[in-house]
Amino acid sequence: MNYKKKPFSLSFGIMVVCFMLVLAGCSANAASENNAAAANNAATASENANKKLTMAYTWNPAGVDPHGDDSWDVMRSGAGETLIKLNEQLQPAAWLAKEWKQEDANTWTLKLENNVTFHDGKKMDAESVKASLLRSIANSHLAKDLLLVKDIEVLAPDELKIITTQPNSAIISSLADPSTIILDVDSMKEAGSYPAMTGAFKIKQFTKDVSLVVERYDGYWGQPAKLKEVTMKFVTDGNTRLMALQAGEVDVATDIPIDSIELVEKDSKLEVLSAPSVRTHMVLFNMNSALFKEKANREVVDQAIPREAIIESVMRGYGTKAKSPFPEILPFGKVAEQAAGETTEQLLTAGGWQKNAAGMWEKEGKPFEATLLTFPHRPELSVMAEVIQNQLLNEGITVKIRKVENIDAELAKSDWDLAMYSMLTAHTGDPQYFLNIFYQSASESNVSHYVSKPLETVINKLNDTPATEARNALAIQAQDIINEDLPQSFIVHPDNVFGVRKGGNGLCSASDRILLCDS
């Protein structure tokens, strides 16, 4: 069955400043067409100025401090901003920092916008930005690992210098990560206070396990938000989010369950929006497993994964085939597909396996039997696990699926063979961070326990290389090594799928309403 999808604009969809409410007024370009259109647009904009938007939101943040585990949620609310943002091609672009320059391998200078105020009315300057960055580095391991800061110096009221502990060619892209959101540090000194940031919206109310409400900040330094207020209701169950959308309780529902998309498409009041993401669904191999320390056995599993069928049946067409960790929408994601190797029978026979009377592979009297972990937070992964299980059973291999609540906690243990996993692989538009944490042998995030000195050599060279084209070439070289060794099997780069009410709250259109990105 062929599923039709309405693709959301790629330029909107792949932006890492995720899910932020559009700040521009409706149909600004059309206003210049003629006076009548301009008057109509002005009236529409005036009407929308008092509009509110409600959304059913996937995640349930513990708080609103952006310098911690909830930074993405704060960024998605439109309340926080970083020094750098990523443009439609996922390249660094000016935001709170209007320009930057690399002085030497370890030193960068940045000039700041000089008309920015925090939500508490204080002026943003180099001293306040320095204090905010130092707080983010102290409170967030992600900011610390991304920036590798040795020192920050204030050169002028609108200029600062960042000195790194080692060459860090990705630092400018890394300054777009939500963990580096700029805030007035003084606003966080009182218990229970909301952070004063610089975004077009400011936090009005946060109720744990219930919602986050933001309202338009009238002192915003850029183009003002067109909505008066936005409520993000925390609804972690996908079916419950869908029912809220169908009942008209919310205008937007994030992460619509894939198997429910047809229900939305059949509802004349609703619309499905989708966009490419920089997320990858994959199978992890435990290189410490007696089975999967053997590359031939990893190849057998990889060959059994029906990627096209999974995209069509499990993902309903909302995804693209994964040939590597990074999607092809990224310049460093354009890698060559691995050529077909030996058959399952050839690989296993060469490894000393034989089929028994029941048609199952065994070796020295022991069956080829593996445990595959999966988890509930991304339901499509469990369905994929069942597809892979059936495919391998047809090949004479038994896979037992074990569902766990906390996948990362289970991966830290040693008693697993295979695991379904999903990760943002290029959330700053650069390959460096993912390659470092996932493939350096000393990294705690190297959950596959994979060691490759040739790969680490390439990654270390990437870390020291500033030129974009050279960095992309090194990232592709690294992926070629990964694909050859197969510490993971990459399945699909899923699309982001949102449900919206058509014309909800008098807004111009669904594409005017939100920017879509990964969550």
Side-chain angles (χ1 to χ4, degrees), residues 450-481:
Y450 170 57
V451 178
S452 169
K453 294 302 179 184
L455 178 59
E456 291 193 44
T457 298
V458 173
I459 294 173
N460 290 335
K461 189 174 180 181
L462 171 70
N463 295 341
D464 294 341
T465 301
T468 300
E469 289 188 8
R471 290 176 64 77
N472 292 343
L474 287 167
I476 290 172
Q477 184 180 346
Q479 290 169 88
D480 288 339
I481 296 172

Side-chain angles (χ1 to χ4, degrees), residues 63-79:
V64 290
D65 186 342
H67 297 161
D69 295 335
D70 304 307
S71 59
W72 281 99
D73 305 294
V74 176
M75 179 66 85
R76 291 173 184 126
S77 74

Side-chain angles (χ1 to χ4, degrees), residues 112 124-131 154-160:
L112 308 175
M124 184 195 78
D125 58 14
E127 286 287 357
S128 59
V129 170
K130 174 183 176 179
V154 172
L155 303 180
D158 65 344
E159 187 175 10
L160 53 81

Side-chain angles (χ1 to χ4, degrees), residues 439-512:
Y439 297 108
Q440 294 280 20
S441 56
S443 171
E444 292 182 2
S445 298
N446 184 350
V447 290
S448 290
H449 309 291
Y450 170 57
V451 178
S452 169
K453 294 302 179 184
L455 178 59
E456 291 193 44
T457 298
V458 173
I459 294 173
N460 290 335
K461 189 174 180 181
L462 171 70
N463 295 341
D464 294 341
T465 301
T468 300
E469 289 188 8
R471 290 176 64 77
N472 292 343
L474 287 167
I476 290 172
Q477 184 180 346
Q479 290 169 88
D480 288 339
I481 296 172
I482 293 165
N483 285 340
E484 174 63 27
D485 289 350
L486 268 182
Q488 297 91 27
S489 285
F490 308 105
I491 304 174
V492 60
H493 303 297
D495 289 352
N496 299 301
V497 182
F498 287 58
V500 300
R501 297 194 68 79
K502 293 180 180 178
N505 277 343
L507 298 179
C508 304
S509 67
S511 59
D512 266 332

